[in-house]
Amino acid sequence: MNTHHPFQELDMTKPVIGFIGLGLMGSNMVENLQKKGFEPMVMDLNKEAVAAVVARGATEAGSARELAAACDIVMLCLTTSVVVEKLVYAEDGILAGIKEGAVVVDFGTSIPASTRKIGADLAAKGAGMIDAALGRTPAHAKDGLLNIMVGGDKATFDKVQPVLAMQGENIFYLGALGAGHTTKLINNYIGMTTVTAMSQAFAVADRAGIDRQQLFDIMSTGPSSSPFMKFCKNYAVDGVSDLGFSIANANKDLGYFLAMVDNLGTRAPIAEGTSAHLQAAVDAGMGNGNVPEIFDYFLTLGK
């Protein structure tokens, strides 16, 4: 029995939402949707995270196929392109269950080429896709104040825009599918390169006998001053690790950035350097630490 109405006729302020990926960011995004009257269908391997959102009125899906078959918008907040592809293409995956007219929204940071491939396969089944990479923090997610960078067909974007507006304060429509992920990767390349370079500066200052606090006082009165420098100083000077983004995550994003650059037929030597340092820190067992903790890796470097 098929009772769902064509997607175009739905009240777009109240579509049925499915949400896969209840990490820190995803859980808070779901909580925000629940506060705004939605009762999403959810999935995650972490049963505690599932229980928390189910206690507030969500339902748990038995499979991605079941979730896709029941929902008008399928939201993904997952860690890697590999995980996204697994959920889309599995026998009981999203592609097997997706309804005509439904839209998949990928909030994660994925490889643009992978995003475009998935989008084409969804389009063949009459479904849409947008990539909607996120800026800001899980705290912003809980209040619906994220920055959202969106790529995709304009008509598909317009369909889901009312719901995105409940999740983000600033929504940037950037063009064709993959543009959101591309922009996010460029943004993260700059951010992580900045943190890596500044952490190295503090380590070199230490080796040279320059007071780290003084170095910060001098740099922060000039144009190098930035929120990222403050995060680096908080760790290198005060021992406070307060940038909630792991070295392992940064390493993944730089790897994706380099894969994207390779797909564009060019090279990014500065990113290669950042990537090599992040990879070395991961290899040294520091992957779970926040990115400014790479200072410790630079501190130990010999000739």
Side-chain angles (χ1 to χ4, degrees):
M1 185 174 78
N2 188 353
T3 56
H4 87 270
H5 302 292
F7 189 84
Q8 289 74 1
E9 294 168 24
L10 283 175
D11 172 7
M12 271 319 291
T13 57
K14 207 67 192 295
V16 180
I17 293 177
F19 203 106
I20 306 178
L22 302 173
L24 214 50
M25 190 64 96
S27 290
N28 284 0
M29 292 177 80
V30 170
E31 185 177 335
N32 170 61
L33 287 170
Q34 290 177 305
K35 281 191 295 204
K36 289 172 181 167
F38 292 94
E39 294 178 350
M41 183 179 265
V42 300
M43 250 183 84
D44 195 89
L45 295 174
N46 178 344
K47 293 306 162 194
E48 277 176 47
V50 171
V53 299
V54 167
R56 291 194 302 263
T59 52
E60 182 179 9
S63 69
R65 179 181 188 154
E66 180 196 329
L67 180 141
C71 295
D72 306 306
I73 303 176
V74 177
M75 297 180 171
L76 310 176
C77 198
L78 300 160
T79 48
T80 66
S81 281
V82 172
V83 175
V84 171
E85 290 198 9
K86 207 175 276 185
L87 271 160
V88 170
Y89 294 112
E91 208 172 306
D92 59 351
I94 293 166
L95 200 59
I98 199 80
K99 300 192 296 195
E100 190 174 344
V103 179
V104 173
V105 180
D106 183 2
F107 286 119
T109 303
S110 302
I111 299 174
S114 167
T115 304
R116 287 190 286 267
K117 178 180 80 170
I118 293 167
D121 291 335
L122 286 165
K125 295 201 76 171
M129 181 177 186
I130 62 168
D131 52 319
L134 304 174
R136 296 189 168 169
T137 67
H140 292 100
K142 193 175 276 198
D143 296 325
L145 296 173
L146 292 163
N147 286 337
I148 306 180
M149 299 160 243
V150 183
D153 174 79
K154 183 70 165 65
T156 307
F157 167 68
D158 289 342
K159 244 190 226 187
V160 297
Q161 197 276 338
V163 179
L164 293 180
M166 298 181 202
Q167 296 170 292
E169 180 178 27
N170 302 301
I171 298 167
F172 304 94
Y173 177 69
L174 299 160
L177 188 66
H181 286 148
T182 299
T183 307
K184 172 76 190 264
L185 289 172
I186 295 169
N187 180 64
N188 284 20
Y189 149 68
I190 282 289
M192 296 309 105
T193 298
T194 302
V195 172
T196 304
M198 287 179 168
S199 297
Q200 189 173 63
F202 282 113
V204 170
D206 193 79
R207 186 70 64 96
I210 302 293
D211 182 79
R212 287 176 249 162
Q213 176 69 53
Q214 276 195 308
L215 177 69
F216 173 74
D217 292 343
I218 289 160
M219 288 200 297
S220 64
T221 57
S224 294
S225 183
S226 72
F228 277 132
M229 185 194 282
K230 190 83 165 39
F231 285 125
C232 294
K233 175 260 180 189
N234 289 351
Y235 186 73
V237 178
D238 305 322
V240 175
S241 189
D242 58 351
L243 173 59
F245 195 71
S246 72
I247 290 172
N249 254 345
N251 186 46
K252 181 211 83 170
D253 284 0
L254 263 290
Y256 281 7
F257 178 82
L258 289 174
M260 178 184 84
V261 164
D262 189 55
N263 289 335
L264 293 170
T266 183
R267 271 189 65 207
I270 292 172
E272 288 165 20
T274 304
S275 181
H277 294 309
L278 290 165
Q279 184 63 55
V282 168
D283 293 344
M286 301 174 67
N288 289 334
N290 287 330
V291 187
E293 294 176 43
I294 200 166
F295 167 76
D296 293 332
Y297 158 77
F298 287 127
L299 213 49
T300 60
L301 285 184
K303 281 184 183 170

